[in-house]
Amino acid sequence: MATSVRARPDGSPPPAAPPSSPGPRGRRRSPGGWRSTLYRWDLKAIPYVFIAPFFLTFAAFGLFPLIYTGWLSLNRVELGGDPTWKGLENYTDLATSEFFWNALFNTFTIGVIATVPQLLMALGLAHLLNYKLRGRGFFRVAILAPYATSIAAATLVFAQLFNTDYGMINGVLGWVGFDPVNWESSKWPAQIAISVIVTWRWTGYNALIYLAAMQAVPQDLYEAASLDGASRWRQFISVTIPSIKPTIFFTIIVSTIGATQLFGEPMLFGGSVGISGGSGNQFQTLSLLMYEKGWVTGALGQASAIAWVMLLLLLLVGGVQALVSRHNRKKLGG
Amino acid sequence: MAHTLDRSPAESGIPAAAPAARPGRRFRQTAGRQHHAGPLTYVLLVVAAFVSLFPLYWNLVAASHSGERVVEAPAPLLPGNRLLDNLSFAWNQVDMGEALINTTIVASLVALSTVLFSTLAGFAFAKLPFRGRGMLLSLVVATMTIPPQLSVIPLYQIITDLGWFDQLQSVVLPSLVAAFGVFFMRQFLVEALPMELVEAARMDGAHSLRIIWHVVFPVARPAMAVLGMLVFVQAWNDFFWPFIALTPDGNPTLQVALAGLGAGNHTVDHAVVLTGALISTVPLLLVFAFLGKHIVGGITAGAVKS
């Protein structure tokens, strides 16, 4: 995150900037003028040569498309046709479109259901893994296994497990004495099922990130807390959590970015009606709506406007995060 | 972060959770791990491991039954005897074999080029003074937050104009280098590469390419390996853009082929669909089983230090 590049979870100061190199003066100027010219040129230009591949790739495949998408969003464009200028019409159309509000709301609710329990469970798991354990390596790799599973593979497996008629999850529920749940066609069950897929894939990954941050917490903080008679739970709340706050922020931001872009899980979960997010659009996310507008309806201007709304949402989240972390730094007097 | 220098993790500010580059080296006993785990901890961890692994186990079970059996309640819990039949059907009839080769090509190219370019850029940002360094590094980090949704529409038009639709280069080229990789290598090299080494090589009159080859690459090797694995996994599993740029019946990666199966493009049964999922997952699981420790280190180093 741009705002927290220098912050470090363990509270240590950022690494000192490397001393700037004294340059070619370290070397006696050689009589062969061309060599030293070449050498000086090498020293001046080479950093730019090294960073060029990234910035060229970004310019071609990131920045240019980003700006062009912004321009397209102000036009009416049919797939394969020429753009006609419409100003903000695409955006005003979105504001009055029930499909857009539905998708925005779904993105938000699935995002919350998929992110909040996931990060809380990850925090708990990290705490457990932080004890002295037998088989630590096994547990780490086991909870990371879902991360190795692709969106497509995970969703296809869970779609079977969540199948209303023959899926194992309804089977287990029936065995315990519940009625079968309609996981695909009812709104909230479908959103919960999709959130379960996201949670399954990412909980272990976040737990390992928290674990690394927890292990960087200085031991003497815990010792001091113990001497003050703090229980283990108290130590977790008053020592562990505050110490890894920057890392928690990092995971919240990354998960939020991910949740805003949800596409593959709802699409594949919905099977033949995946693009529309179920037969009643009950789990159509912004990404799905954008894809539907662009590649099914062929309205590229509308699709571009949705993409830009997504960027604005993320900027909003980033702004809030920046404010909160600044507020926190002020409180710490740092 | 993998660490080859003779500095303790604590000294260099690297979380000691990160495993060492050398396999078999023990984790340091560090702060926070102050108590032995009680039985409840083990129970909860076993539950977490079970929940993590069960869907993968069940994927294998479902891929070893007939299509009819998979859609019968109660769902099968033990492997059947149809795995080889399903594999050969998926391989030959719905071209999962071709998709596997395509995915291997794409993920390898993306991983190699990302590692190479990220190391060069990371070295420049870590150790070379140049005008605008801080600002440009912030820009690199900022680009990480831009969702792919913002570029796919023009990208789709570009690859269609170039005649690359449904060609693998359309998914390789936009991923030649990643902001995450640049930042990751910079974070590693700032601490792992002593400036004296670079200076000494400069004194000897070495030009930059020699320094890269003889000084930077040897020091960065463990981080390059971790980054390569992370990027390989990401490229292997990438979905959104490949789904737009490729078609299931043309030149798909595994994920695009799976999406085609899941959407019912082919009239295949659920056992074959899940066999496809298995073909996509198993190669990466093998990578994790052998190199999981280093991947764990890479993930944590990339996040904790940002």
Side-chain angles (χ1 to χ4, degrees):
Chain A
M1 307 294 76
T3 51
S4 57
V5 176
R6 290 200 169 71
R8 295 166 118 224
D10 56 0
S12 64
S20 61
S21 87
R25 268 190 302 282
R27 196 167 156 268
R28 290 283 143 257
R29 285 179 54 175
S30 60
W34 68 269
R35 279 202 62 165
S36 66
T37 314
L38 191 69
Y39 191 83
R40 267 202 305 274
W41 182 88
D42 177 53
L43 215 56
K44 273 239 185 338
I46 208 76
Y48 297 103
V49 175
F50 286 166
I51 63 172
F54 171 80
F55 284 99
L56 289 175
T57 309
F58 172 66
F61 300 112
L63 189 63
F64 162 72
L66 177 95
I67 295 165
Y68 192 70
T69 304
W71 182 77
L72 279 179
S73 75
L74 304 173
N75 286 270
R76 173 174 299 154
V77 204
E78 304 300 330
L79 204 54
D82 286 327
T84 45
W85 181 258
K86 288 286 170 194
L88 290 176
E89 200 175 297
N90 285 322
Y91 291 92
T92 51
D93 285 354
L94 281 187
T96 56
S97 152
E98 57 178 303
F99 290 105
F100 169 75
W101 290 108
N102 171 60
L104 184 66
F105 197 66
N106 287 343
T107 305
F108 178 76
T109 50
I110 296 176
V112 170
I113 307 170
T115 307
V116 177
Q118 176 200 129
L119 294 182
L120 288 173
M121 285 195 296
L123 208 53
L125 264 180
H127 182 66
L128 297 177
L129 286 166
N130 206 6
Y131 286 119
K132 282 185 185 155
L133 279 175
R134 280 175 212 280
R136 201 170 53 237
F138 163 78
F139 286 124
R140 284 174 192 222
V141 175
I143 63 170
L144 197 61
Y147 170 76
T149 314
S150 70
I151 290 174
T155 307
L156 292 174
V157 170
F158 273 92
Q160 292 298 306
L161 294 173
F162 275 114
N163 184 283
T164 305
D165 302 319
Y166 58 81
M168 190 180 299
I169 290 171
N170 272 354
V172 171
L173 287 176
W175 188 63
V176 182
F178 288 96
D179 288 340
V181 176
N182 213 329
W183 292 109
E184 281 123 53
S185 47
S186 331
K187 178 170 177 166
W188 293 110
Q191 295 205 358
I192 288 169
I194 290 163
S195 304
V196 165
I197 302 169
V198 179
T199 305
W200 179 76
R201 280 188 70 233
W202 290 104
T203 302
Y205 173 91
N206 285 311
L208 290 172
I209 287 177
Y210 290 153
L211 177 64
M214 286 177 187
Q215 297 193 309
V217 179
Q219 179 70 36
D220 41 29
L221 288 181
Y222 290 105
E223 280 163 9
S226 293
L227 288 176
D228 290 345
S231 66
R232 283 195 198 181
W233 173 246
R234 187 68 228 223
Q235 287 179 32
F236 177 70
I237 294 295
S238 310
V239 178
T240 309
I241 300 280
S243 304
I244 67 168
K245 220 179 216 169
T247 306
I248 293 176
F249 260 124
F250 171 85
T251 55
I252 290 174
I253 290 293
V254 171
S255 309
T256 309
I257 293 173
T260 317
Q261 301 169 17
L262 271 185
F263 175 82
E265 293 92 339
M267 188 192 84
L268 292 166
F269 186 77
S272 54
V273 285
I275 304 276
S276 48
S279 44
N281 309 99
Q282 68 271 28
F283 49 88
Q284 185 169 45
T285 57
L286 282 173
S287 264
L288 281 174
L289 183 66
M290 179 196 137
Y291 182 86
E292 188 177 46
K293 284 272 186 243
W295 280 271
V296 181
T297 319
L300 291 183
Q302 291 264 309
S304 302
I306 296 169
W308 264 81
V309 168
M310 290 169 79
L311 181 67
L312 295 177
L313 284 176
L314 283 175
L315 288 175
L316 201 72
V317 172
V320 170
Q321 186 255 353
L323 284 175
V324 173
S325 60
R326 183 167 310 156
H327 173 78
N328 279 343
R329 271 204 297 275
K330 276 219 181 74
K331 248 189 356 197
L332 294 169
Chain B
M1 183 74 263
H3 208 58
T4 46
L5 297 174
D6 298 328
R7 280 194 296 177
S8 75
E11 223 180 300
S12 55
I14 289 174
R22 275 161 289 179
R25 195 169 123 187
R26 306 288 306 160
F27 280 55
R28 279 162 41 101
Q29 294 294 311
T30 52
R33 208 180 301 140
Q34 67 277 45
H35 301 294
H36 281 279
L40 181 63
T41 301
Y42 281 104
V43 170
L44 291 171
L45 283 174
V46 167
V47 169
F50 176 80
V51 171
S52 298
L53 296 175
F54 181 78
L56 296 169
Y57 165 77
W58 192 78
N59 187 356
L60 176 69
V61 169
S64 66
H65 283 279
S66 67
E68 296 80 43
R69 178 64 190 92
V70 174
V71 297
E72 258 173 38
L77 277 172
L78 294 171
N81 55 2
R82 297 286 308 273
L83 182 61
L84 290 178
D85 300 347
N86 285 334
L87 274 175
S88 94
F89 188 91
W91 199 268
N92 300 315
Q93 304 296 315
V94 286
D95 288 338
M96 287 311 265
E98 188 203 354
L100 182 71
I101 293 165
N102 282 346
T103 311
T104 310
I105 292 170
V106 168
S108 306
L109 286 176
V110 168
L112 280 173
S113 98
T114 303
V115 167
L116 174 70
F117 291 137
S118 300
T119 308
L120 293 181
F123 169 61
F125 279 122
K127 296 290 167 181
L128 300 179
F130 59 93
R131 195 165 303 179
R133 187 169 80 166
M135 190 199 73
L136 287 172
L137 183 64
S138 303
L139 184 64
V140 170
V141 174
T143 64
M144 284 193 227
T145 59
I146 301 174
Q149 279 75 4
L150 275 146
S151 45
V152 290
I153 294 167
L155 274 184
Y156 175 77
Q157 294 185 313
I158 292 169
I159 63 163
T160 314
D161 289 346
L162 291 170
W164 289 354
F165 181 70
D166 211 9
Q167 301 294 318
L168 292 184
Q169 61 262 38
S170 65
V171 291
V172 173
L173 286 172
S175 311
L176 281 179
V177 52
F180 162 76
V182 173
F183 186 67
F184 180 91
M185 290 311 297
R186 185 239 168 220
Q187 295 299 86
F188 178 79
L189 287 170
V190 157
E191 291 175 2
L193 180 62
M195 204 56 209
E196 297 79 39
L197 276 183
V198 182
E199 294 296 335
R202 282 246 178 258
M203 292 289 201
D204 296 343
H207 52 78
S208 295
L209 288 179
R210 282 187 67 117
I211 293 178
I212 285 285
W213 190 253
H214 292 289
V215 178
V216 178
F217 280 177
V219 171
R221 192 172 300 138
M224 288 164 84
V226 169
L227 178 64
M229 283 186 295
L230 287 175
V231 174
F232 187 88
V233 170
Q234 264 170 10
W236 184 280
N237 287 339
D238 194 18
F239 185 77
F240 184 60
W241 170 239
F243 177 75
I244 290 170
L246 308 171
T247 65
D249 294 325
N251 240 337
T253 56
L254 280 166
Q255 309 315 320
V256 178
L258 281 181
L261 292 183
N265 287 10
H266 295 269
T267 43
V268 295
D269 57 47
H270 287 298
V272 173
V273 174
L274 291 174
T275 306
L278 197 67
I279 292 174
S280 152
T281 309
V282 163
L284 284 192
L285 281 183
L286 289 177
V287 170
F288 268 55
F290 288 108
L291 304 165
K293 221 171 68 167
H294 304 298
I295 295 179
V296 171
I299 287 171
T300 52
V304 171
K305 308 195 54 195
S306 56

